[in-house]
Every structure is written in structure tokens, then in C-alpha cells.
Amino acid sequence: PGLTAGAAVFVYISLYEGFGLPLGQAMAAGVASITSNVSSMPEVAGQAALLVDPRSPAEVSSALARLLLSPGLRERLGREAAARARQFTWESCARRSLEFFRRLS
């Protein structure tokens, strides 16, 4: 967590994720992030990260340059990421799981 929290930006490019715990950890640390626009990453990140095509080196490079050259954007995304990460609690997970299973029965 200390290493992640000290990062200027966090880049997590993946083609498939179940949840994306490393992204969630970076968001909880308030680190502006870049992640894939596929799989579960958009759902995890919401509007609190830059989403890119994981198959496009140009998009990844452009997003990285944008974050590194824009302290204001990094700060804003870091704040939004920390707020979004607070939504992912074990209590919330349990409540939503119970609601899901109740709908099945």
C-alpha cells in the first residue's frame, strides 16, 4: 500500500479481470489511475480513472502523458478515486449479494 500510495499515477491495463483488486487499492490510496475500458474495469473505476483501449499503445501512452503533464487532473482523479473506493466495502458486498440471492428465490 505504501508503494502504491507514493505513485504519481497507477496504470493497470488488462484484457480480463474478475474485479481488479490492484486498481481498487490504488483508488483507495487516492492515486489517479489509467485502466482498461473492457471487462470489469469501467464498473470498478466509474468516472474516477482514465479508461483506454488495452490493445492500443497509443491510447495508453496518450493517457499517461495527459496525467503526468496535468497535476490538476491527477489531483481531481485521485480525490474521485478515493471517494469511489469507499463504496467498495465488505458490508456493501454482503448486502448486495444477499439482495441478489433473494431475487433468485
Side-chain angles (χ1 to χ4, degrees), residues 14-63:
S14 177
L15 295 174
Y16 177 81
E17 290 296 324
F19 177 79
L21 191 55
L23 176 62
Q25 291 170 329
M27 291 171 62
V31 177
S33 299
I34 299 167
T35 194
S36 304
N37 63 2
V38 298
S39 189
S40 63
M41 298 298 88
E43 185 178 352
V44 173
Q47 299 296 311
L50 297 182
L51 302 177
V52 297
D53 179 347
R55 294 180 176 92
S56 172
E59 275 191 42
V60 175
S61 174
S62 176

Side-chain angles (χ1 to χ4, degrees), residues 9 34 49-52 59-74 76-77:
V9 298
I34 299 167
L50 297 182
L51 302 177
V52 297
E59 275 191 42
V60 175
S61 174
S62 176
L64 185 56
R66 187 173 165 210
L67 275 185
L68 289 174
L69 297 173
S70 179
L73 178 60
R74 276 196 320 271
R76 180 178 62 79
L77 285 178

